[in-house]
Each structure stands twice: as structure tokens, then as C-alpha cells.
Amino acid sequence: MKVKFFKVYPHRQCMANSKDRGDETEAAIIQQLIEDGYSVAIPFGDSDKYDIVVDSGKCLYRVQCKTAWQNKEETIRFNTHSQTTKEGEYHEDTYDGEIDGFVVRYPQTETLYWIPITQATEQKMELRFSADIDHPSINWAEDYEFDGSIPRM
């Protein structure tokens, strides 16, 4: 059974902000991983590049949770970098060497995708549902759809 997570803020008149969306995504991912039999740890504080640690029983995986949005009719997209403001200046950092993979949630379908960091593109990554051509540069959504098994890294 899939459960949707929503925070209700009666004092807010606008849609959830990016922090709220991220919290909903993280909660949905954790719930699914636990349902699939994995142990999940959440690091203390928010200074690590990973959001959760997934224990498969054989290996620990540092995971960054991301929310995807529809980019074009047949694609969804998510950020593969972090964005911060330090001392008034905007910074973008990659996750190379800091995480083992992304688990991406597409809220419209509640589908999860597991993308190893070695297969992620820089800045943003698109997952495509269909196309008129089959090109090696296309990242097919079905190849990354999380079926309860962690892909080989």
C-alpha cells in the first residue's frame, strides 16, 4: 500500500515550499525502503551530502533523496547538484565521492527511481518514458525504476 505524505499548514496560503516537498519525498522513500525490508538510518544534522543511509544487510549506501518534476511530456527531471547560499553568494556543488546514489520520487505517480552516482549526469538528469528513437544518451525511466532491489553499483 502506498501512502502519500502531506503537511497541512492552515496559516499558509501558498503551495508547499521546496523544504516541505523534500521532507515529503524523504519520508515516502524511507517508508518504501522499510516496507521492502531495508534498514534506514538518518544522519544527525544536515551537513552531510546524503539524506539517508540504506543498509542492505551486505552493504551501506549513502543516498541523496530527490523530487522529480515533469520537464516535457515524456520526461521527468531532477537536480543532481546541491544549491546553497553562503555569505550571500550562490553555490552549486556536485555529489561526486559523497554519495552512492540518488533515490528519486516522482510525486504524480509515487514512483521511485534509483540512480547510481556513476550513472548520473551533471547538474540535472532527465528520465524519459518514450521516444521516437533509441539513442545511447537517453536515460530510460524504466531502467532506473526501483522494484525493491538495489541496483548494482
Side-chain angles (χ1 to χ4, degrees):
M1 176 174 109
K2 299 236 181 203
V3 176
K4 292 185 180 181
F5 292 87
F6 298 98
K7 284 186 178 179
V8 178
Y9 297 101
H11 60 283
R12 291 188 187 173
Q13 297 297 317
C14 60
M15 295 175 59
N17 62 36
S18 60
K19 173 76 169 106
D20 293 338
R21 273 191 303 277
D23 288 347
E24 289 173 10
T25 287
E26 198 170 314
I29 290 169
I30 290 168
Q31 178 188 2
Q32 187 61 54
L33 289 166
I34 290 171
E35 284 179 11
D36 289 336
Y38 296 101
S39 181
V40 178
I42 301 170
F44 180 77
D46 61 359
S47 59
D48 294 304
K49 291 279 187 133
Y50 49 90
D51 294 316
I52 60 175
V53 177
V54 180
D55 186 345
S56 70
K58 295 179 183 175
C59 191
L60 298 176
Y61 299 94
R62 300 166 299 168
V63 172
Q64 174 61 222
C65 301
K66 292 290 186 179
T67 306
W69 66 91
Q70 186 170 4
N71 182 44
K72 298 173 190 160
E73 188 174 329
E74 296 297 328
T75 66
I76 58 174
R77 178 182 273 193
F78 66 97
N79 290 328
T80 58
H81 65 282
S82 65
Q83 301 168 333
T84 56
T85 303
K86 296 177 187 171
E87 299 176 9
E89 292 190 29
Y90 177 78
H91 296 274
E92 289 184 356
D93 294 313
T94 67
Y95 293 100
D96 292 337
E98 304 283 342
I99 67 170
D100 300 305
F102 295 97
V103 175
V104 179
R105 172 180 165 253
Y106 182 48
Q108 283 74 358
T109 62
E110 289 301 324
T111 306
L112 300 183
Y113 301 90
W114 188 301
I115 297 95
I117 189 68
T118 56
Q119 296 177 29
T121 58
E122 288 190 25
Q123 299 298 314
K124 294 179 180 6
M125 185 169 180
E126 277 188 356
L127 300 179
R128 182 171 287 281
F129 298 107
S130 67
D132 294 334
I133 60 169
D134 185 10
H135 193 274
S137 67
I138 294 175
N139 297 304
W140 295 106
E142 67 183 19
D143 292 344
Y144 297 103
E145 191 168 332
F146 183 65
D147 62 2
S149 299
I150 297 173
R152 299 184 81 184
M153 299 285 179

